[in-house]
Amino acid sequence: QVQLVESGGRLVQAGDSLRLSCVASGRTFSWDNMGWFRQSVGKEREFVASAWPGGNTDYVDSVKGRFTISRDNAKNTVYLQMNSLKPEDTAVYSCAAGFSATRRPDSYTYWGQGTQVTVSA
């Protein structure tokens, strides 16, 4: 069974840092684009960051310079390092995998359950 399991989300204060992890199993994701998305209450799911098999990365403008996506293929794990967190970063963060995926959520095939990140002012 293919699984993506996120962890690391918690309540933090503005300006703090968090590192989210996504552990994959049941499939080889070496050739997939790995992405992080987030969804706040009352809003649509939003692209945050992605890491391509060739090493390229992509970030939504609102997190550039603050967030860093990385992947460890040996551990089948993808990370999202989040620094200088803001209250508007509060959301459920989900990881996803998809072959030749883009910023569009529907371009990803596999999804994790999500982990809650809450940033207080």
Side-chain angles (χ1 to χ4, degrees):
Q1 183 178 3
V2 176
Q3 287 188 312
L4 299 176
V5 181
E6 304 95 334
S7 63
R10 62 181 177 90
L11 172 65
V12 298
Q13 295 181 333
D16 285 353
S17 297
L18 275 179
R19 189 180 76 160
L20 306 183
S21 298
C22 173
V23 180
S25 63
R27 187 182 186 275
T28 299
F29 293 96
S30 299
W31 310 117
D32 288 320
N33 185 307
M34 304 299 297
W36 284 96
F37 292 78
R38 64 188 181 186
Q39 186 169 24
S40 301
V41 175
K43 296 183 178 180
E44 295 183 347
R45 186 163 53 193
E46 174 191 32
F47 168 83
V48 177
S50 65
W52 293 41
N56 291 337
T57 58
D58 187 28
Y59 301 90
V60 68
D61 287 345
S62 61
V63 308
K64 287 182 178 178
R66 299 190 298 121
F67 291 10
T68 302
I69 186 172
S70 61
R71 58 194 297 176
D72 186 337
N73 288 336
K75 297 181 178 180
N76 292 317
T77 302
V78 181
Y79 305 96
L80 184 67
Q81 178 66 46
M82 305 185 295
N83 298 326
S84 301
L85 283 163
K86 305 175 181 179
E88 50 263 45
D89 294 319
T90 296
V92 174
Y93 284 73
S94 301
C95 65
F99 183 75
S100 297
T102 66
R103 289 187 171 193
R104 293 177 56 89
D106 60 11
S107 68
Y108 289 81
T109 303
Y110 304 101
W111 291 84
Q113 299 298 307
T115 184
Q116 176 71 48
V117 173
T118 302
V119 185
S120 63

